[in-house]
Amino acid sequence: LVQLVESGGGSAQAGGSLTLSCLTSGYSNEGLCMGWFRQAPGKAREGVAAICGDSVTTDVGITEYADSVKGRFTISQDKASDTLTLLLHSLQSDDSAMYYCAAGGNRHLPLWSTFYAHWGQGTQVAVSS
């Protein structure tokens, strides 16, 4: 059974920072991607960041980011602790959303939610200006 549990959401001022964590269990397909997605009220779910195993060396994490968060968010993976992390810096009010951790994404389309088979319950981020 694959389980993904997010934590670290909360409230922040615009320009501030937050760290989201996703503790994974039961997931071991390192050739695919893990990612963070977000969904604001009335909007579609969007891919924020993903990290994918290299086809040759699974220790290498290839990352991809949505244009709206490039240079502000950083995704990382600690396989020793089974934790996926998203650092959120220079937060903007548009970053307010429910953030979801997901596993099993496609290496060629890492920000497409359709390919992700496993999802966490989400953690809320609220940014005030």
Side-chain angles (χ1 to χ4, degrees):
L1 177 64
V2 177
Q3 290 188 307
L4 308 176
V5 180
E6 303 96 335
S7 61
S11 299
Q13 294 282 333
S17 300
L18 285 172
T19 299
L20 306 184
S21 297
C22 175
L23 181 63
T24 67
S25 63
Y27 180 71
S28 62
N29 196 335
E30 297 183 358
L32 300 180
C33 304
M34 294 196 68
W36 287 95
F37 293 77
R38 67 186 182 187
Q39 188 167 19
K43 294 187 177 181
R45 185 171 295 188
E46 64 171 334
V48 175
I51 186 165
C52 307
D54 184 83
S55 59
V56 177
T57 306
T58 56
D59 289 340
V60 176
I62 300 170
T63 59
E64 181 150 335
Y65 297 90
D67 289 342
S68 59
V69 306
K70 281 181 182 176
R72 300 189 300 119
F73 291 9
T74 302
I75 188 171
S76 63
Q77 185 178 23
D78 182 348
K79 294 182 180 179
S81 64
D82 291 327
T83 302
L84 183 72
T85 300
L86 185 67
L87 303 179
L88 293 71
H89 295 297
S90 301
L91 283 164
Q92 304 167 359
S93 56
D94 287 349
D95 295 321
S96 297
M98 183 71 80
Y99 283 71
Y100 298 90
C101 170
N106 185 290
R107 297 179 66 249
H108 302 290
L109 295 167
L111 296 181
W112 282 43
S113 62
T114 306
F115 296 104
Y116 283 80
H118 309 286
W119 293 83
Q121 294 299 306
T123 186
Q124 185 71 46
V125 170
V127 181
S128 57
S129 56

